Amino acid sequence: MQHTNLDMVRSIGADHVIDYTKEDFTKSDQRYDLICDLVGNHSFSERRRVLTPNGVCLLAGIGGAGQHPETWGRLAGGLKAALLSRFVNQKFVMFMARLNTEDLTILGDLMQSGKVTPVIDRRYKLSETPEAIRYFEQGHARGKVVITVE
């Protein structure tokens, strides 16, 4: 992870940041009560090893929108982890957001009050949508790519 990415993550409130390009969190002696896995690039046993005995691993966003060739593999891995967690104290839970008006209103209120800080990498006009999609598909966005309807 580039130094600027680490700084950005710290700036929005992270207490501890792991540079995944230099450190594999599953190989350390650190144990976690909660892992929020947004990528799904570790096996069930690797994640289980670093969870505390009653820890929880939240597998979020692994289904994706199909932008990566390995999406189906990640989804299958997440389903496998959720199934296997039935036989251990640690829990592996898959989470896929369902957007609704009430939740979006609460999220908007949290952003306006400063309790949640959105990270916007780039903004594009509606007429620049193809360029925005090309940028997003490169996989280097450090936040959300926003398309503004004028």
Side-chain angles (χ1 to χ4, degrees):
M1 188 183 301
Q2 295 177 6
H3 185 64
T4 54
N5 290 354
L6 295 172
D7 292 340
M8 182 269 298
V9 172
R10 285 186 188 106
S11 77
I12 60 173
D15 294 322
H16 179 72
V17 180
I18 298 170
D19 184 344
Y20 66 86
T21 65
K22 297 178 180 169
E23 179 183 351
D24 181 347
F25 78 96
T26 66
K27 304 247 189 286
S28 76
D29 292 332
Q30 176 72 39
R31 297 295 174 259
Y32 302 92
D33 294 316
L34 174 66
I35 297 172
C36 295
D37 189 342
L38 306 178
V39 179
N41 61 346
H42 289 285
S43 70
F44 173 77
S45 59
E46 288 171 325
R47 290 176 285 196
R48 186 164 181 250
R49 189 182 71 72
V50 295
L51 277 173
T52 57
N54 293 305
V56 176
C57 181
L58 176 67
L59 306 163
I62 292 176
Q67 64 262 32
H68 300 289
E70 62 275 357
T71 295
W72 289 110
R74 289 179 182 170
L75 182 58
L79 290 171
K80 177 182 175 185
L83 177 66
L84 290 173
S85 79
R86 293 176 181 259
F87 304 102
V88 296
N89 286 339
Q90 298 152 322
K91 295 298 165 206
F92 287 72
V93 182
M94 288 189 66
F95 175 79
M96 303 265 260
R98 287 189 204 120
L99 302 178
N100 62 59
T101 303
E102 182 182 351
D103 290 345
L104 291 174
T105 300
I106 292 168
L107 184 60
D109 292 344
L110 290 170
M111 286 189 289
Q112 285 184 338
S113 70
K115 292 180 181 176
V116 171
T117 305
V119 178
I120 299 173
D121 182 313
R122 293 192 183 177
R123 297 176 192 264
Y124 292 88
K125 296 177 184 173
L126 183 60
S127 61
E128 301 170 321
T129 299
E131 183 182 337
I133 292 170
R134 280 191 293 277
Y135 176 71
F136 175 75
E137 287 178 337
Q138 291 173 0
H140 301 296
R142 294 180 320 148
K144 296 298 178 187
V145 176
V146 175
I147 296 174
T148 304
V149 179
E150 298 172 354

